[in-house]
Amino acid sequence: MALTMVALCWKLPICFLFYQVVSGGERKEGHYVAAVYEHESILSPTPAALVERRSALELMGRNLDIYEQQVLAAARQGAQIIVFPEDGIHGFNFTRSSIYPYLDFVPHSHSGKWNPCREPYLFNDTEVIQRLSCMALKNKLFLVANLGTKQPCERWDPRCPSDGRYQFNTNVAFAADGTLLATYRKHNLYFEYAFDTPPEPDYAFFDTPFAGKFGMFTCFDILFFEPAVNLIRQYNLKQIVYPTAWMNQLPLLSAVEFQQAFATAFNVNILAANIHHPTLGMTGSGIYTPVKSFIYHNMESYGGKLIVAEIPVITPDYKTSSEINERFRENLHDSCRTFMSTSLDDEVCFKEQEEIPGRVSEKGKEQSPPSFYAEMMYDNFTFVPVWGEKGELQVCANTLCCYLNYHRAVLTDELYALGVFDGLHTVHGTYYVQACALVKCGGLSFSTCGQEVTDATALIDFQLWGNMSTPYIFPLLLTSGITLDFADHMGWKNNYYFLSKNRTSTGLLTAAIYGRWYEKD
């Protein structure tokens, strides 16, 4: 009996999920049922301490007991694939030495050839792999999990660490019969000193009978070209599994916000499983299509959460970003006129002869609000305040100019600002960002703009655009209570990327065009 989720979330930080029986007890044609589990992992109280393998297996076994329960629950709801989070089995904050007892041996070259559940005798130190394989086999579903692995290396290898082994942050994917289908070793480590970066990026994917090929990468990888973007482009992948241990950072990089933006930007389905540790800012999992999401974000309570949803298979001939952007170009003028007829003045519509769309009027120049600087996401953004019921704004930094036309249904006692950043981000990672962002400030003073805010009441019609220099654009639209909304229109027009929305579903937190200029990293 197949089950499917039929509602998203109430407008609260807690996501309530509802299910119904699919008519006739069958899955819809061209759809599959996916599950992700946000796991509150049982952590070692002393991760830096050296322990025996037996003690490490005991702790990991307690987490695997929970996994086993969730696999069974997902299978009973018709799930064909389940994804677990990064660090969910062993935890984190280890040293290179202290994590060693927690590492399994995984033969990287044996993917597709070994069934750990049926052939446990082939290799030593594979207890975790065996148990995961047996979960998949027993419940007849595909399973993706993350664990620490080890691989001996020879002294003649110039990259071989001094202790004679590689240690990797590894995803593993199992078929419904327990066969190890694929492994992926995390490439972009996030202050993970216990692990090594693989010599070359892994391009990992596996095939399924219900949705074709799934690619996989991990957590911080999502912000970089290698291997995530290259994997999707090179193999034309449309389904992604994504274990993560993501610490939310508002206003631009909360987990559910960026996971949805990635699915939209690359026209893929993403099955994203995050760890659940609210005190560390870690929550936010979901099943995402380019146009719909089934999410869980909960900073208030503890315990894990299983999400199950039926979603359409995206096939390789599904329209690419460039094709969809072309459709936006063709339909932009009419859609702009329709949007503006209900909210904003006609003068802000893009005209075919305009080189700079939405050019601020002479009247607007006379009343231009003051620009100011404030730190957001550890970067020095240039802002202008968003004052009054409606208006047109422009703010620039380096080569990037951002434009905003807005209309508020009701004026509220909340300060919003339009911000721009065009530069190299250097805190907690180094990567080049171009961003145009409409954000709610933390208070009524300019210095609070860029602060983390989770609640808002203002309903704002807006059109936001910028002369982005990179084609890799992630559209962000986050609303009160860390819920997601979707733009009415987005795409390219005369070398400008735009994002528009006629009335958000609830108070606006963030509307942003987040560009990654990978070549300048």
Side-chain angles (χ1 to χ4, degrees), residues 85-268:
E86 180 186 24
D87 298 336
I89 296 172
H90 57 272
F92 36 76
N93 292 333
F94 294 95
T95 67
R96 182 174 180 85
S97 299
S98 70
I99 202 172
Y100 182 70
Y102 295 84
L103 305 180
D104 263 34
F105 173 73
V106 176
H108 192 58
S109 61
H110 278 62
S111 297
K113 305 173 185 176
W114 178 40
N115 190 312
C117 188
R118 289 177 170 158
E119 303 169 295
Y121 48 82
L122 286 188
F123 306 100
N124 294 325
D125 293 337
T126 58
E127 293 91 339
V128 174
I129 288 287
Q130 291 172 33
R131 193 159 174 195
L132 292 168
S133 169
C134 291
M135 289 182 204
L137 173 63
K138 181 179 178 181
N139 294 279
K140 298 180 174 57
L141 48 63
F142 283 68
L143 184 149
V144 176
N146 173 273
L147 73 160
T149 65
K150 58 188 176 183
Q151 180 182 324
C153 53
E154 303 295 338
R155 289 185 177 179
W156 51 260
D157 178 357
R159 296 176 59 99
C160 184
S162 59
D163 53 19
R165 63 179 182 267
Y166 288 113
Q167 298 182 173
F168 296 118
N169 177 332
T170 304
N171 295 341
V172 287
F174 299 92
D177 66 357
T179 299
L180 178 63
L181 288 178
T183 62
Y184 168 71
R185 300 168 299 180
K186 185 177 180 181
H187 190 73
N188 298 285
L189 298 173
Y190 188 79
F191 302 100
E192 299 167 69
Y193 304 114
F195 291 122
D196 299 302
T197 301
E200 299 293 336
D202 290 346
Y203 300 115
F205 57 89
F206 57 92
D207 208 358
T208 68
F210 52 85
K213 289 182 173 62
F214 282 78
M216 62 178 170
F217 46 85
T218 309
C219 200
F220 203 37
D221 289 328
I222 203 169
L223 286 178
F224 297 91
F225 186 82
E226 292 288 3
V229 177
N230 207 8
L231 172 73
I232 291 170
R233 288 179 50 179
Q234 188 172 335
Y235 297 97
N236 196 20
L237 299 177
K238 293 299 180 182
Q239 335 291 325
I240 300 295
V241 290
Y242 177 64
T244 185
W246 191 275
M247 290 178 285
N248 289 287
Q249 189 180 5
L250 294 167
L252 303 181
L253 288 179
S254 71
V256 296
E257 176 185 27
F258 201 79
Q259 290 161 12
Q260 180 61 70
F262 193 93
T264 301
F266 289 102
N267 299 301
V268 295

Side-chain angles (χ1 to χ4, degrees), residues 43-121:
L43 302 173
S44 167
T46 55
L50 301 179
V51 300
E52 301 286 334
R53 171 73 170 171
R54 181 178 61 183
S55 298
L57 287 173
E58 182 181 352
L59 181 132
M60 293 190 291
R62 293 165 66 193
N63 285 308
L64 289 168
D65 288 345
I66 298 171
Y67 279 27
E68 199 150 14
Q69 296 167 7
Q70 299 305 319
V71 172
L72 177 60
R76 285 176 173 170
Q77 295 180 49
Q80 296 159 281
I81 184 170
I82 186 169
V83 180
F84 290 99
E86 180 186 24
D87 298 336
I89 296 172
H90 57 272
F92 36 76
N93 292 333
F94 294 95
T95 67
R96 182 174 180 85
S97 299
S98 70
I99 202 172
Y100 182 70
Y102 295 84
L103 305 180
D104 263 34
F105 173 73
V106 176
H108 192 58
S109 61
H110 278 62
S111 297
K113 305 173 185 176
W114 178 40
N115 190 312
C117 188
R118 289 177 170 158
E119 303 169 295
Y121 48 82

Side-chain angles (χ1 to χ4, degrees), residues 27 152 171 181 210 288 395 425 453 471 474:
R27 284 182 288 271
N171 295 341
L181 288 178
F210 52 85
Y288 305 86
V395 63
H425 173 90
V453 179
F474 302 91

Side-chain angles (χ1 to χ4, degrees), residues 269-301:
N269 291 332
I270 299 181
L271 315 182
N274 198 4
I275 212 80
H276 188 80
H277 289 288
T279 56
L280 301 175
M282 303 170 90
T283 183
S285 303
I287 298 171
Y288 305 86
T289 78
V291 296
K292 191 175 184 181
S293 60
F294 304 84
I295 67 169
Y296 180 71
H297 175 100
N298 183 353
M299 288 288 288
E300 307 301 323
S301 60

Side-chain angles (χ1 to χ4, degrees), residues 327-342 346 349-352 463 489 493 498 500:
R327 175 168 55 83
F328 281 128
R329 288 189 185 99
E330 293 170 357
N331 298 338
L332 175 63
H333 194 66
D334 287 339
S335 63
C336 177
R337 187 166 56 241
T338 301
F339 168 76
M340 297 306 167
S341 68
T342 61
D346 289 339
C349 271
F350 294 176
K351 296 182 176 67
E352 290 302 323
Q463 188 174 47
H489 304 286
K493 175 68 174 178
F498 72 95
S500 69

